Amino acid sequence: MQADRPLRIDDLPRDLPVFAVSGAIVLPKGTSPFMVFEPRYLAMVDDALGMGRLFALVQPRDDKDKGGVVSGLYDTGCLVRITAFGETGDGRYLITAAGICRFRLAGEVEGRAGYRRVRTDYIPYAGDLDGSDTGPVDRRGLLSIVRAYLGGLGMSADIAQLEKADDADLSVRLAMACPFAPAEKQALLEAASHAERCRLMTTLIQRELLNESGGSSIH
């Protein structure tokens, strides 16, 4: 991948090692830390460091859900790049992964050293590379309900900092940080636009608040 011009689909690797983490997503332009300790994923990180620092982050499906293009995995994941790497001294790795482009799974290829590898199709998410997703987001409504939601969970959020974020950054940061169920996280990953993702987050949070209130109306 070349740094002197915008990325194109042709620049992206078609076959990728898979890091399957339930409940964790990374969106394009987002970053997230991961603690790596399973031997197969330690081997995957070792290999990725020598091959462009790239891998696929894909959520595993629930054990009862056998569907999908690749057995045991959701059909959409994200190509990520290791931007920071450290060793803990007890055999684990601490890495930071930055999202580049989402993809649809197109199949599975031969694995290596115990980890799986998949074939990718970036075309459905080509817009991740060109920055064309600039639709308006209901910032005020989303931030208001996020404040109530996280407060009810005993979690704090720096709303002032979120208010300074642009629409894309707000969509990405909240989708990655909010403690939704894996299937809900997957829906946020697959959302067609930042506006759609924010509408979905608002709906999910409203539902949680409604459940917590025992079904009474929320105003």
Side-chain angles (χ1 to χ4, degrees):
M1 299 195 317
Q2 300 179 20
D4 57 350
R5 61 170 174 78
L7 285 175
R8 300 177 302 200
I9 287 178
D10 289 346
D11 298 322
L12 307 180
R14 190 177 184 200
D15 295 343
L16 289 168
V18 173
F19 188 27
V21 184
S22 181
I25 59 171
V26 174
L27 287 157
K29 312 303 182 186
T31 62
S32 180
F34 292 95
M35 183 68 72
V36 183
F37 55 88
E38 291 187 46
R40 56 177 171 163
Y41 291 137
L42 294 171
M44 184 211 72
V45 170
D46 287 338
D47 290 347
L49 289 171
M51 296 184 292
R53 296 186 284 175
L54 301 171
F55 64 89
L57 184 68
V58 185
Q59 285 202 105
R61 289 181 180 270
D62 185 275
D63 288 342
K64 298 177 182 178
D65 185 354
K66 302 299 183 182
V69 175
V70 174
S71 175
L73 299 177
Y74 276 105
D75 291 343
T76 297
C78 190
L79 168 67
V80 300
R81 185 172 185 268
I82 298 171
T83 57
F85 168 83
E87 299 183 69
T88 63
D90 59 1
R92 296 177 294 170
Y93 293 159
L94 179 61
I95 64 173
T96 299
I100 297 172
C101 184
R102 291 170 294 169
F103 57 79
R104 295 279 293 176
L105 293 179
E108 187 164 10
V109 296
E110 184 178 358
R112 297 174 182 166
Y115 63 82
R116 303 175 75 176
R117 297 169 67 238
V118 294
R119 181 148 293 168
T120 58
D121 177 10
Y122 301 99
I123 292 176
Y125 296 103
D128 289 349
L129 300 177
D130 62 20
S132 60
D133 183 3
T134 57
V137 167
D138 179 10
R139 301 172 60 87
R140 178 178 298 180
L142 178 60
L143 289 171
S144 175
I145 201 166
V146 164
R147 183 185 290 109
Y149 175 56
L150 295 181
L153 294 174
M155 300 172 64
S156 62
D158 192 339
I159 298 297
Q161 286 298 316
L162 290 174
E163 287 175 341
K164 296 177 183 177
D166 63 27
D167 287 352
D169 191 32
L170 181 67
S171 165
V172 168
R173 289 171 63 181
L174 285 176
M176 291 173 53
C178 284
F180 297 121
E184 295 167 341
K185 285 278 196 177
Q186 188 66 26
L188 294 173
L189 175 69
E190 297 178 14
S193 66
H194 295 305
E196 179 181 315
R197 184 174 299 115
C198 288
R199 286 194 295 269
L200 177 56
M201 277 191 282
T202 299
T203 298
L204 291 172
I205 293 171
Q206 286 174 333
R207 186 177 66 191
E208 289 296 322
L209 292 176
L210 186 61
N211 289 339
E212 291 170 6
S213 68
S216 60
S217 299
I218 299 174
H219 300 284

